[in-house]
Amino acid sequence: MRIRDRRADDEPEINLVPLIDVILVLIIFFVVTATFDARSVLKLELPRATGEPSGDARQALVVLVNAEGRYFVGDREVLRDDLESLKTTIAEVAGGDRDRTVMLRADARTPYQAVVTVYDALGQLGFRKIMSATAPPPGAAAKPAAAPVGASR
């Protein structure tokens, strides 16, 4: 009787499970440690101004007004363009923190009434620290400057 050696029939194979585990751990590591810039999805052409950037812009509540006069609060779009809808969305995003700095980013081609509506809504809600985002003049640094508009009470 002939005893067959089964080890000779085994073909070498590469086990991919540990490789997949290592790749998933690397992906999780890079996602967790990556820094995310607060970049707007909308392309805004900011008005030009000279001045120094403000240091309070990081924790600011961002209100965007695009060239068509549509409003965006944080990452939420205001569905209607009336004052009450804007106030409701700002109140929902900001919560009860009325001492928070608000950064108003309006396109240079925005109708002035849309900007005044934002100021009106913020004033009625009790926000006092409001900054307007502007672009630096041509030939200056590429960082946008924030000019404080209102004084805190």
Side-chain angles (χ1 to χ4, degrees):
M1 177 165 157
R2 191 170 163 199
I3 298 177
R4 194 167 174 199
D5 186 14
R6 295 203 180 265
R7 286 182 287 168
D9 291 339
D10 289 339
E11 293 185 25
E13 63 180 53
I14 299 174
N15 191 358
L16 294 178
V17 175
L19 180 63
I20 293 172
D21 289 344
V22 170
I23 291 174
L24 287 176
V25 168
L26 286 174
I27 290 173
I28 291 171
F29 173 76
F30 286 120
V31 167
V32 170
T33 60
T35 58
F36 297 102
D37 292 334
R39 296 191 182 180
S40 175
V41 176
L42 301 173
K43 297 291 182 188
L44 295 180
E45 180 182 325
L46 295 174
R48 307 266 181 220
T50 59
E52 295 297 319
S54 175
D56 293 339
R58 286 200 173 199
Q59 286 79 20
L61 172 67
V62 178
V63 178
L64 295 167
V65 186
N66 67 3
E68 291 83 32
R70 294 176 51 204
Y71 305 109
F72 298 86
V73 180
D75 58 351
R76 294 179 54 185
E77 180 178 1
V78 180
L79 299 178
R80 295 189 315 243
D81 60 352
D82 61 316
L83 180 66
E84 291 304 316
S85 297
L86 180 60
K87 284 172 46 178
T88 302
T89 306
I90 291 171
E92 288 174 359
V93 172
D97 186 13
R98 298 299 186 249
D99 291 330
R100 189 173 178 183
T101 302
V102 178
M103 169 76 74
L104 175 60
R105 296 177 58 105
D107 194 288
R109 299 163 295 184
T110 300
Y112 190 62
Q113 181 59 50
V115 175
V116 171
T117 302
V118 173
Y119 282 125
D120 189 23
L122 292 170
Q124 289 180 18
L125 289 172
F127 289 96
R128 298 290 174 238
K129 298 177 183 176
I130 303 170
M131 297 186 297
S132 294
T134 58
K143 295 168 85 173
V149 175
S152 59
R153 291 184 188 179

mmCIF file of all heavy atoms in Angstrom, residues 14-26:
data_model
loop_
_atom_site.group_PDB
_atom_site.id
_atom_site.type_symbol
_atom_site.label_atom_id
_atom_site.label_comp_id
_atom_site.label_asym_id
_atom_site.label_seq_id
_atom_site.Cartn_x
_atom_site.Cartn_y
_atom_site.Cartn_z
ATOM 1 N N ILE A 14 -1.177 33.271 -0.520
ATOM 2 C CA ILE A 14 -0.920 34.467 0.282
ATOM 3 C C ILE A 14 -2.185 34.796 1.058
ATOM 4 O O ILE A 14 -3.256 34.973 0.470
ATOM 5 C CB ILE A 14 -0.510 35.645 -0.614
ATOM 6 C CG1 ILE A 14 0.775 35.311 -1.360
ATOM 7 C CG2 ILE A 14 -0.353 36.914 0.201
ATOM 8 C CD1 ILE A 14 1.179 36.362 -2.370
ATOM 9 N N ASN A 15 -2.044 34.886 2.344
ATOM 10 C CA ASN A 15 -3.177 35.225 3.195
ATOM 11 C C ASN A 15 -3.319 36.744 3.235
ATOM 12 O O ASN A 15 -2.450 37.455 3.732
ATOM 13 C CB ASN A 15 -2.955 34.661 4.602
ATOM 14 C CG ASN A 15 -4.203 34.755 5.437
ATOM 15 O OD1 ASN A 15 -5.222 35.258 4.992
ATOM 16 N ND2 ASN A 15 -4.119 34.255 6.665
ATOM 17 N N LEU A 16 -4.418 37.276 2.708
ATOM 18 C CA LEU A 16 -4.622 38.714 2.588
ATOM 19 C C LEU A 16 -5.309 39.337 3.809
ATOM 20 O O LEU A 16 -5.373 40.561 3.911
ATOM 21 C CB LEU A 16 -5.442 39.025 1.339
ATOM 22 C CG LEU A 16 -4.769 38.709 0.010
ATOM 23 C CD1 LEU A 16 -5.703 39.015 -1.138
ATOM 24 C CD2 LEU A 16 -3.489 39.488 -0.127
ATOM 25 N N VAL A 17 -5.827 38.548 4.695
ATOM 26 C CA VAL A 17 -6.557 39.086 5.843
ATOM 27 C C VAL A 17 -5.675 39.994 6.706
ATOM 28 O O VAL A 17 -6.091 41.106 7.051
ATOM 29 C CB VAL A 17 -7.187 37.944 6.663
ATOM 30 C CG1 VAL A 17 -7.836 38.476 7.931
ATOM 31 C CG2 VAL A 17 -8.210 37.196 5.819
ATOM 32 N N PRO A 18 -4.456 39.611 7.071
ATOM 33 C CA PRO A 18 -3.637 40.540 7.861
ATOM 34 C C PRO A 18 -3.301 41.829 7.101
ATOM 35 O O PRO A 18 -3.250 42.905 7.689
ATOM 36 C CB PRO A 18 -2.366 39.752 8.160
ATOM 37 C CG PRO A 18 -2.730 38.322 7.985
ATOM 38 C CD PRO A 18 -3.809 38.302 6.955
ATOM 39 N N LEU A 19 -3.112 41.728 5.791
ATOM 40 C CA LEU A 19 -2.830 42.918 4.993
ATOM 41 C C LEU A 19 -4.024 43.868 4.995
ATOM 42 O O LEU A 19 -3.866 45.085 5.132
ATOM 43 C CB LEU A 19 -2.468 42.512 3.564
ATOM 44 C CG LEU A 19 -2.148 43.640 2.595
ATOM 45 C CD1 LEU A 19 -0.905 44.387 3.066
ATOM 46 C CD2 LEU A 19 -1.950 43.102 1.202
ATOM 47 N N ILE A 20 -5.213 43.338 4.869
ATOM 48 C CA ILE A 20 -6.420 44.160 4.904
ATOM 49 C C ILE A 20 -6.577 44.808 6.275
ATOM 50 O O ILE A 20 -6.941 45.988 6.384
ATOM 51 C CB ILE A 20 -7.658 43.311 4.532
ATOM 52 C CG1 ILE A 20 -7.561 42.880 3.067
ATOM 53 C CG2 ILE A 20 -8.947 44.079 4.787
ATOM 54 C CD1 ILE A 20 -8.608 41.888 2.646
ATOM 55 N N ASP A 21 -6.293 44.074 7.328
ATOM 56 C CA ASP A 21 -6.368 44.639 8.679
ATOM 57 C C ASP A 21 -5.416 45.816 8.842
ATOM 58 O O ASP A 21 -5.777 46.852 9.393
ATOM 59 C CB ASP A 21 -6.045 43.564 9.729
ATOM 60 C CG ASP A 21 -7.145 42.523 9.851
ATOM 61 O OD1 ASP A 21 -8.266 42.801 9.365
ATOM 62 O OD2 ASP A 21 -6.876 41.455 10.416
ATOM 63 N N VAL A 22 -4.203 45.673 8.368
ATOM 64 C CA VAL A 22 -3.218 46.750 8.480
ATOM 65 C C VAL A 22 -3.660 47.966 7.680
ATOM 66 O O VAL A 22 -3.568 49.106 8.135
ATOM 67 C CB VAL A 22 -1.830 46.259 8.025
ATOM 68 C CG1 VAL A 22 -0.860 47.421 7.891
ATOM 69 C CG2 VAL A 22 -1.290 45.216 8.994
ATOM 70 N N ILE A 23 -4.183 47.762 6.478
ATOM 71 C CA ILE A 23 -4.639 48.875 5.647
ATOM 72 C C ILE A 23 -5.812 49.602 6.306
ATOM 73 O O ILE A 23 -5.861 50.835 6.315
ATOM 74 C CB ILE A 23 -5.001 48.382 4.234
ATOM 75 C CG1 ILE A 23 -3.727 47.966 3.511
ATOM 76 C CG2 ILE A 23 -5.747 49.447 3.450
ATOM 77 C CD1 ILE A 23 -3.960 47.329 2.170
ATOM 78 N N LEU A 24 -6.750 48.864 6.875
ATOM 79 C CA LEU A 24 -7.879 49.501 7.559
ATOM 80 C C LEU A 24 -7.417 50.313 8.774
ATOM 81 O O LEU A 24 -7.917 51.411 9.023
ATOM 82 C CB LEU A 24 -8.909 48.455 7.968
ATOM 83 C CG LEU A 24 -9.731 47.880 6.831
ATOM 84 C CD1 LEU A 24 -10.650 46.777 7.340
ATOM 85 C CD2 LEU A 24 -10.537 48.953 6.143
ATOM 86 N N VAL A 25 -6.459 49.799 9.515
ATOM 87 C CA VAL A 25 -5.933 50.548 10.660
ATOM 88 C C VAL A 25 -5.251 51.827 10.186
ATOM 89 O O VAL A 25 -5.411 52.892 10.788
ATOM 90 C CB VAL A 25 -4.961 49.664 11.486
ATOM 91 C CG1 VAL A 25 -4.182 50.491 12.482
ATOM 92 C CG2 VAL A 25 -5.730 48.569 12.203
ATOM 93 N N LEU A 26 -4.509 51.761 9.095
ATOM 94 C CA LEU A 26 -3.869 52.964 8.553
ATOM 95 C C LEU A 26 -4.895 53.988 8.077
ATOM 96 O O LEU A 26 -4.741 55.187 8.302
ATOM 97 C CB LEU A 26 -2.919 52.592 7.411
ATOM 98 C CG LEU A 26 -1.616 51.922 7.824
ATOM 99 C CD1 LEU A 26 -0.848 51.468 6.592
ATOM 100 C CD2 LEU A 26 -0.782 52.851 8.677
#
